[in-house]
Amino acid sequence: MKMQNFKLTLCYDGRRYHGWQKQGNTGNTIQAKIESLLSRILAQDIEVAGSGRTDAGVHARAQVCSFRAETSLSPEQLLNLIRRYLPDDIGALSLEYAEPRFHARLSCKEKTYVYRIWNSTSPNVFERGYTYTMSEPLNVPEMEKAAALIIGRHDFSAFCSNRHMKKSAVRELRSIDFTQNGNVLEIALTGNGFLYNMVRIIVGSLIEVGLGKRSADSLKQALLSMDRANSGPTAPAQGLFLWSLSY
Amino acid sequence: MKMQNFKLTLCYDGRRYHGWQKQGNTGNTIQAKIESLLSRILAQDIEVAGSGRTDAGVHARAQVCSFRAETSLSPEQLLNLIRRYLPDDIGALSLEYAEPRFHARLSCKEKTYVYRIWNSTSPNVFERGYTYTMSEPLNVPEMEKAAALIIGRHDFSAFCSNRHMKKSAVRELRSIDFTQNGNVLEIALTGNGFLYNMVRIIVGSLIEVGLGKRSADSLKQALLSMDRANSGPTAPAQGLFLWSLSY
């Protein structure tokens, strides 16, 4: 049997989990779930690398991970086994052979996150697990104006929760798009990478703009200050989806 | 204070409940929940009449109920109070004054139910609470052919779970419409009323047609036989929504 490199694409409902990344032997995380499942199916120790972490409660419409395994199972056979044993809040979308050097995090070129806001006084019963509920109306054109001021290649320290980051905080935020779907406002952020809590802090700041609590310009000022104290609150996890990845 | 008649429109996620109808002092039902909430808010004993029962686990995009109360609160004030105290899986869509003779069940002219089937081998993570998952492909044109054979005004005894029904089983089934939304097949049934489990037995029978387990014609034969033994199984509750009501 030859050592193979695999690319596995998952989706998950984040509500029951303490995020993607395993935490020693504690915590119910997606990564730990997938590693223990693959290790049992393949009867060998499997380590998976995700495209990046998702926080506790954050969902994934698509999360990619890579792993190496010695197996004579075809990707199709292995995918069927994985699907048979996954809990119903984690789905395996696809499994394929990957180039030997493929790595889910290091090979990732672009990520899109979508933040979903139920923006209505109408009750939010069926979308309540997958949206953040806000009954106050949001001024979306002002939010779009603010968003346009922070896209581009910048040091995003002001939009990062990790105060002691030693690595570069420069990222390229390529677009922020707004789509209204019935009562749901979807904010899609695409970039070459995101800092810890960056999407949720940008969205929390945009929401303050939408509520008239701060000006669109203040987001540009916060960005330039590189100081977390000048940006808005971290928006709640339940509205956030890791949406798509480019390799 | 004058006695007022009210029309309250609700939506709910049926998963946590033993259906609409209260069952003495036992069972977690929507009707019991609403009656106890209204009785507390209005400080008087309130009885609500629903447009009809929904089974355990069945959802409502819209369920109408009526009740009489002596109150000086406007419908808007009362609606806000109801919304404040409802659990997050029951929503109050609207509340208005109704004619004195209005009754949610007796005044109802037409009902639409929608049955939702996740018909794909792809994992069903985000819709899993609101669809019935079927990985085998369904032949929808055959299902449409079968549906056309049973619409109209008939005795629907063959599609009713209650074996000892003494009242008439004649109902007018006005339409059965099929809509494919991505991986979800939605079957909408509209009629002037439905017998116990009628929608779920019709859908269970249509699914057997879609799987090639029975012919379209066999549904017409089942209908004419007026014998429950000749129709298909009762489809699971989690795919069913009470969708809309006409008064």
Side-chain angles (χ1 to χ4, degrees), chain A residues 12-13 60 88 121 126 128, chain B residues 12-13 60 83 88 126 128:
Chain A
Y12 46 82
D13 178 333
D88 67 358
T121 54
F126 305 110
R128 69 190 190 282
Chain B
Y12 47 82
D13 179 333
R83 285 183 171 171
D88 67 0
F126 304 111
R128 72 189 189 282

Side-chain angles (χ1 to χ4, degrees), chain B residues 71-135:
Chain B
T71 179
S72 53
L73 293 171
S74 71
E76 197 188 344
Q77 289 170 320
L78 184 51
L79 179 62
N80 285 335
L81 283 169
I82 293 169
R83 285 183 171 171
R84 186 179 310 163
Y85 296 111
L86 279 177
D88 67 0
D89 52 7
I90 304 180
L93 294 167
S94 64
L95 177 67
E96 54 197 291
Y97 289 133
E99 298 288 310
R101 300 190 55 179
F102 177 81
H103 183 281
R105 180 169 53 83
L106 302 174
S107 310
C108 183
K109 293 217 173 68
E110 190 173 90
K111 279 185 189 179
T112 296
Y113 283 90
V114 173
Y115 198 91
R116 306 181 75 234
I117 301 170
W118 179 273
N119 190 25
S120 170
T121 54
S122 267
N124 178 10
V125 165
F126 304 111
E127 289 274 5
R128 72 189 189 282
Y130 308 118
T131 52
Y132 169 46
T133 302
M134 291 200 66
S135 48

